[in-house]
Amino acid sequence: MWDFFYGDNKNKKNKKKKKQEKIDFSKTKKKKLILQEEHTKVFMAKTKDNNISPPKTTLKTQKKENLSTPANLSSKTSDTKNFDPVFFKIISFLKEELGEAYSASFFSKKTTSTIFFNDNIEVFKSIYLSNIVNKTNSLLLENDFQPINNFMFMDINNKQILFIMQLDAYYLYLILNNEQLNLGYLINILLPKIQSETINIKK
Amino acid sequence: MNVKKLKESIEILKANLDGALIASDIWKDNTGTSIAGYNSNPKAVALFDQVTSYMNKALETSGFPTLDKYYLLELKDNALVVVLQFKDNYQWGMLVDNTKVNLGLLLNIAIPEARKAFEEAIAD
């Protein structure tokens, strides 16, 4: 009897506890959601600080020096909204994997030379650089050579490497610090991983 | 320039790459004509002379430093093109079979040894 009484009392207490837990859980869920939102806000702010800039719609002020014939400067920048979030992922993945070897990067679309996701590099610089692959490929094809397959890279004077990889319909340009770079890791491990990620991107 | 040593430097490269070297040419900047070579390809010399100068212009215009020691292109059909740059305005281009040599051997052994032999030939 007493047991029953106490048992019943215990059941009531347990029910109360469970209710309380449910309330707490929903509260923590809400808290989590709020935290997640805050986190994404902070992330976006950080990416802005790191110059992962949603590029402007058009670039009117292009420096026109030695190389600047209108044909060479057909590149345009465009809104990042139209591009897959995978590009963000790729850049943060590379930053993490390459560490100090990573310096800057940007993507360009093969067909239109549209430049996007400039990270730590000015848009006008990327426009000039973005023509390197297209020009090299057209020279190769004109002279009955095969075009570039997966990658090309240049050892440049201030201990940097300009590495360009082909990712389906896009090129990824990377500026890397030669002294910290493990080229084999980039070519044999990171490049295939990134290439498999970009296969599913809508063109 | 010691022509004999220059040819020797190509032989060193050939030996280090152990059958992977398809063709190779040495030329002076903006001339587009070969000084020495193995399976020489005049078309390739003219082409890569042009490619080098384009790359340098693109780098310069975009505010980057120009090419330092080399550039490398991985072409379809398992071919690698490496073009070495030298201070005396010489360039050394090579077409390599990607399936017969690994990149580490090419960049860390074959090229540095060939470069050293070439620099000696030029200094002579």
Side-chain angles (χ1 to χ4, degrees), chain A residues 131-183:
Chain A
N131 288 303
I132 287 177
V133 188
N134 288 335
K135 180 74 179 176
T136 307
N137 264 338
S138 71
L139 283 171
L140 286 166
L141 290 168
E142 272 168 29
N143 289 280
D144 305 321
F145 276 82
Q146 290 291 322
I148 291 159
N149 188 25
N150 286 315
F151 64 89
M152 64 177 278
F153 62 89
M154 290 162 233
D155 172 42
I156 55 180
N157 259 316
N158 55 353
K159 290 174 183 170
Q160 282 188 319
I161 278 188
L162 173 61
F163 192 100
I164 306 157
M165 57 175 88
Q166 192 158 265
L167 302 172
D168 205 22
Y170 307 91
Y171 293 120
L172 170 59
Y173 286 70
L174 289 167
I175 292 136
L176 305 163
N177 300 318
N178 199 357
E179 285 179 327
Q180 280 96 8
L181 178 67
N182 209 330
L183 205 57

Side-chain angles (χ1 to χ4, degrees), chain A residues 125 144 149-150 153 155, chain B residues 43 62 68-70 72 74:
Chain A
K125 284 186 176 182
D144 305 321
N149 188 25
N150 286 315
F153 62 89
D155 172 42
Chain B
K43 218 175 173 181
S62 58
D68 189 13
K69 285 179 182 161
Y70 69 96
L72 184 147
E74 191 231 4

Side-chain angles (χ1 to χ4, degrees), chain A residues 42-145:
Chain A
V42 169
F43 174 75
M44 293 305 287
K46 271 186 183 175
T47 49
K48 267 185 186 175
D49 288 345
N50 286 337
N51 262 340
I52 303 177
S53 51
K56 293 137 203 168
T57 44
T58 49
L59 187 79
K60 286 177 184 170
T61 50
Q62 291 164 343
K63 278 194 180 179
K64 290 182 181 178
E65 289 164 25
N66 307 333
L67 196 70
S68 54
T69 61
N72 286 336
L73 291 171
S74 58
S75 309
K76 288 173 187 168
T77 54
S78 75
D79 209 320
T80 45
K81 280 176 196 167
N82 300 324
F83 294 103
D84 204 290
V86 166
F87 296 112
F88 266 123
K89 268 192 192 172
I90 289 172
I91 292 179
S92 25
F93 171 70
L94 280 171
K95 274 183 169 179
E96 206 177 296
E97 292 296 318
L98 294 169
E100 285 184 2
Y102 177 91
S103 176
S105 68
F106 66 91
F107 284 93
S108 85
K109 206 169 181 178
K110 256 191 218 175
T111 48
T112 57
S113 293
T114 308
I115 287 160
F116 55 101
F117 287 113
N118 282 51
D119 178 28
N120 216 17
I121 182 167
E122 290 100 329
V123 177
F124 86 89
K125 284 186 176 182
S126 46
I127 289 174
Y128 287 118
L129 292 180
S130 73
N131 288 303
I132 287 177
V133 188
N134 288 335
K135 180 74 179 176
T136 307
N137 264 338
S138 71
L139 283 171
L140 286 166
L141 290 168
E142 272 168 29
N143 289 280
D144 305 321
F145 276 82

Side-chain angles (χ1 to χ4, degrees), chain A residues 144-149, chain B residues 22 74-80 95-99:
Chain A
D144 305 321
F145 276 82
Q146 290 291 322
I148 291 159
N149 188 25
Chain B
I22 301 165
E74 191 231 4
L75 306 184
K76 285 187 175 162
D77 284 353
N78 298 314
L80 285 176
L95 184 65
V96 179
D97 185 342
N98 202 0
T99 59

